[in-house]
Amino acid sequence: MAFFLTHSPIHHHSLSLFTKFFLSTKPKTLIFLSSPSPKVRTFSSLTSTISISEEPPLQQISQDKLFIPPETEILTEKPPRILKGSNIVLSKYARDAQIISAEFVKSSVETDACPNDGWPEFALVGRSNVGKSSLLNSIVKRKKLALTSKKPGKTQCINHFRINDSWYLVDLPGYGYASAPGELRKDWNKFTKDYFLNRSTLVSVFLLIDASIPAKKIDLEYASWLGQNQVPMTIIFTKCDKRKKKKNGGKHPEENVQDFQDLISEYFDTVPPWIMTSSLTNQGRDEILLHMSQLRNYWLKH
Ligand code: GDP
C-alpha cells in the first residue's frame, strides 16, 4: 500500500509516555455483554452532568476488540463499563468530562510555533467534508469556534482551542481536497506529519472517518501511517445518523465501521479505540468527552 507520507524513524515523546495506554497486550477471552438491568452513571461538573448509559450493546464484543485502558481490570464475574456506540472500556481516570469554557487561541504554521505551556491536547483530523467542523461545534456546543478555523488562511494551519483553561482541542487541516494540486497536498502532509511525530503534548490523534460511505483509500493510508508510526489514535466515525443503504454505497454505518476496522487491523498491534458519532443528533458527544478525559487524566499522571 502506498503511504501519504514518507517514513522516518519514530522519535516522539508521546510514544514513550503514552504507548502503554494504547499498546497493551491482546486478551483473547470473549465477554458476554449482558446485564440484567440498564444503569445510568453520572459524572458531575460545575455546570451539568454527563450521563453514560451502561445498557448492554446490541452485539457481543469479544475482549480482543475492546480498548482497555491500563490499570483497568476486566473481571469475568462483572461486565466492564463500555461507552455506548464504541469499543472503549471506562477506567477510573474518566472524570471532569464537561466543557465549561472554550476559546480560540492561535493558528500556527509549524509545530514549533504551537503553544508551549505543556497542556495535553487532542488533534482532530480527517478528509475534507468528513464533518470535522460540525463535530467541533457539537463538542464545544458553539458555532463560532469552528468557524474561526474555517476562515480563509486558517484552514491550512494548526488551530489551537483552549478548553477549561487546562487542555487543547486542535483542528488540523483536512486532507484529500480533490481540487488541490499535488504539490500543495504534499506540503500539508509534511507539515502534519511533523506535528504528529514531534508534538510532545499530543495525547491522541482523533481520526475522523465518514461512516456513511465505504472506506476511502486515502483514509486507509492515513490510518495505516499512524499505526505504523505508533502515533496514538482514536477513530471517530462521523455521520452515523445517515442510514439510507442505497445512498450510502449499500451499507449501514455499522457495516462500514466494521469494514474499516478489518481493513486497518494489520497495522495495529492492538485494536484502536473507536466511537460512532453524529453531529446532527449529538450521538457520541458525551462518549468523546469521557474518552478524552480518561486519556488526559492518565497522561497527566504518567
Ligand atoms: P469539514 O469539511 O470536515 O469541516 O465538514 P463539515 O462539518 O463542514 O461538514 C460537511 C458536510 O457534511 C456538511 O454538509 C454537513 O452538514 C454534513 N455533516 C456533517 N456532520 C454530519 C452528521 O453528523 N450527519 C449528517 N447527516 N451530515 C453531517
Side-chain angles (χ1 to χ4, degrees):
M1 177 174 281
F3 294 104
F4 79 108
L5 302 169
T6 52
H7 287 270
S8 76
I10 303 162
H11 53 91
H12 58 117
H13 166 74
S14 54
L15 178 66
S16 54
L17 254 179
F18 209 64
T19 312
K20 271 190 294 172
F21 209 111
F22 285 84
L23 305 179
S24 50
T25 48
K26 266 190 185 179
K28 294 278 182 241
T29 333
L30 263 183
I31 298 181
F32 296 91
L33 296 163
S34 53
S35 68
S37 58
K39 280 182 266 165
V40 170
R41 194 179 170 86
T42 56
F43 291 78
S44 305
S45 78
L46 286 179
T47 51
S48 53
T49 56
I50 283 185
S51 304
I52 59 153
S53 165
E54 292 184 38
E55 280 174 54
L58 294 175
Q59 79 280 38
Q60 227 178 61
I61 302 182
S62 64
Q63 193 172 330
D64 61 338
K65 294 273 167 66
L66 291 176
F67 173 73
I68 304 168
E71 301 174 27
T72 307
E73 244 188 291
I74 304 278
L75 306 168
T76 30
E77 64 275 14
K78 193 172 169 254
R81 288 155 50 204
I82 297 169
L83 288 175
K84 201 174 173 187
S86 86
N87 69 335
I88 300 170
V89 174
L90 263 187
S91 73
K92 62 181 180 184
Y93 289 99
R95 57 177 184 273
D96 307 324
Q98 196 62 231
I99 293 200
I100 297 156
S101 67
E103 59 206 320
F104 174 70
V105 178
K106 77 180 284 198
S107 289
S108 315
V109 289
E110 56 187 7
T111 314
D112 286 349
C114 291
N116 60 2
D117 40 29
W119 286 337
E121 67 192 36
F122 302 95
L124 267 53
V125 68
R127 204 160 33 78
S128 147
N129 220 37
V130 69
K132 187 154 57 72
S133 331
S134 308
L135 187 80
L136 197 53
N137 288 331
S138 145
I139 293 177
V140 300
K141 287 192 171 155
R142 249 187 265 170
K143 285 233 161 13
K144 228 172 85 203
L145 278 193
L147 284 181
T148 310
S149 65
K150 275 215 157 180
K151 275 188 189 153
K154 302 214 167 160
T155 52
Q156 294 170 40
C157 293
I158 305 170
N159 294 301
H160 274 77
F161 299 95
R162 187 166 45 224
I163 311 295
N164 299 352
D165 283 329
S166 58
W167 55 281
Y168 289 112
L169 267 178
V170 180
D171 188 16
L172 292 178
Y175 56 83
Y177 284 95
S179 56
E183 269 312 298
L184 195 57
R185 232 186 281 179
K186 240 187 271 160
D187 276 346
W188 292 344
N189 289 340
K190 192 165 164 278
F191 146 93
T192 341
K193 173 192 175 189
D194 181 69
Y195 168 84
F196 290 144
L197 297 180
N198 297 308
R199 182 67 174 159
S200 60
T201 49
L202 177 62
V203 177
S204 175
V205 173
F206 277 53
L207 177 64
L208 274 57
I209 301 295
D210 188 338
S212 72
I213 52 168
K216 294 259 190 208
K217 187 164 168 272
I218 194 165
D219 291 331
L220 296 168
E221 288 170 1
Y222 217 103
S224 66
W225 186 88
L226 290 171
Q228 296 196 351
N229 284 278
Q230 305 201 4
V231 178
M233 173 188 82
T234 299
I235 308 174
I236 300 297
F237 290 105
T238 62
K239 307 189 190 182
C240 293
D241 57 278
K242 288 177 109 180
R243 311 206 52 82
K244 293 241 164 62
K245 270 198 165 195
K246 248 192 190 154
K247 279 194 189 159
N248 298 345
K251 298 207 172 175
H252 280 314
E254 288 77 9
E255 295 171 277
N256 288 325
V257 163
Q258 189 55 53
D259 289 351
F260 192 84
Q261 288 173 58
D262 293 345
L263 287 164
I264 62 162
S265 60
E266 65 180 291
Y267 302 106
F268 294 83
D269 292 337
T270 53
V271 182
W274 55 262
I275 307 174
M276 294 180 71
T277 72
S278 160
S279 302
L280 282 194
T281 65
N282 280 332
Q283 177 192 350
R285 180 188 181 269
D286 291 349
E287 287 73 14
I288 288 180
L289 288 174
L290 278 164
H291 178 57
M292 284 179 171
S293 82
Q294 65 178 3
L295 295 184
R296 205 172 57 235
N297 290 324
Y298 179 84
W299 188 90
L300 285 167
K301 209 183 151 204
H302 293 83

